[in-house]
Structures are given as C-alpha cells and as structure tokens.
Amino acid sequence: MSRLPMNKTHKLGYAAVLGMEAYSAKSVSRELYELIKLRASILNGCSYCTDMHSQDGMKHGISTAKLFAVAAYNDSPLFTVAERAALRLTDAVTRLDPAEGVSDEVWDEAAEHFEEKDLGNLILAIATINVWNRIAITTRLEPPVRA
C-alpha cells in the first residue's frame, strides 16, 4: 500500500514533475525515452516504474526482446551505438560517481551521437525518470498484479 498519494496531497509539486515528463516526452524520441525510463527504473530498483515502462514500451511497439535486453544492453545487438551511448549516460547520471559524477568518457561518447540540444534533453529525461523513481520508491507504489 502506498504511503502517500502525492498526486493528491502535493498537487503543485506533482504537477511540476508532470511538466518535466511532458517536456521530455516531446523532446526525446518515444522509443529512446522508453528505454531510458526502463533502464533507470531497473538501476533504481523501482518495481512500479519498471513494470510501467515495460508495458508502455510494448504498447509503443518496442519488441519484448529489446525491452528484456535493456538489462544487458552493452552486449545486445538490438541497440544502436547511439542508444548504447544514451543508456550509458543514463547509467552514469542515475548512479553518479562520487568522485567524478559523469566521466568524460561517457559524456564524450554521448556527445559523438547527440547534438548539444539533444544531450540537454537526454539529461532532463534521465533526471525526470529518476524523480519519478524516487517518488514511487519512497511512497511504496506497487505495480498492478497481473495473472
């Protein structure tokens, strides 16, 4: 059971996060955004968001093979080099290294595949799913039970 229905008790703050979501959904391709949301949710251990973004990915035509492969994207031929770079950036932003944050290696790789505007949009998209993950985990949102 959820600890706190943030969408009802903190409407303005929740609306701000929905605004981030709307911006990110418009600014990053649908497939890449779903992959980013799924990857960050897996890393954060957010069962609610992992379930949601797996389901959303399927609804948007991403193959189940590719969705399952998000957990091991580095070794999967299902991802483009640009997608891998975006997912590595997702890993680095989600799990910031205490010593260097996001390494130059990860940043430079992403910058090879995305223009400055797109890099900024990726950072905002990654930040957005991390906000959602923290809300869902902290309030103990649970995914629906499916048979």
Side-chain angles (χ1 to χ4, degrees):
M1 181 163 200
S2 179
R3 289 178 168 168
L4 182 66
M6 296 284 290
N7 60 329
K8 294 177 182 156
T9 60
H10 294 77
K11 291 179 183 181
L12 288 177
Y14 200 84
V17 182
L18 285 171
M20 291 175 66
E21 178 68 32
Y23 178 86
S24 295
K26 288 188 317 190
S27 302
V28 176
S29 76
R30 169 58 68 188
E31 183 168 339
L32 184 56
Y33 192 34
E34 290 302 332
L35 297 174
I36 287 169
K37 291 190 288 187
L38 181 57
R39 180 63 185 172
S41 297
I42 290 168
L43 290 175
N44 285 322
C46 184
S47 62
Y48 181 85
C49 294
T50 297
D51 176 76
M52 178 193 307
H53 300 303
S54 297
Q55 297 296 317
D56 288 351
M58 286 186 286
K59 287 177 192 168
H60 289 97
I62 303 173
S63 72
T64 53
K66 191 167 188 175
L67 292 169
F68 294 154
V70 166
Y73 68 88
N74 277 311
D75 299 325
S76 174
L78 298 174
F79 299 91
T80 67
V81 291
E83 288 171 332
R84 281 193 196 96
L87 291 171
R88 275 191 273 283
L89 185 61
T90 300
D91 289 1
V93 172
T94 299
R95 298 242 169 113
L96 291 169
D97 183 286
E100 67 178 332
V102 175
S103 72
D104 288 340
E105 178 184 355
V106 169
W107 180 262
D108 292 344
E109 179 187 14
E112 286 178 31
H113 301 284
F114 298 94
E115 295 179 13
E116 186 175 275
K117 177 182 176 188
D118 297 323
L119 273 173
N121 288 333
L122 285 175
I123 293 166
L124 289 168
I126 297 164
T128 300
I129 186 54
N130 275 281
V131 169
W132 284 127
N133 288 165
R134 278 141 182 79
I135 291 170
I137 291 167
T138 303
T139 62
R140 293 190 178 161
L141 286 177
E142 295 179 357
V145 177
R146 295 184 187 86

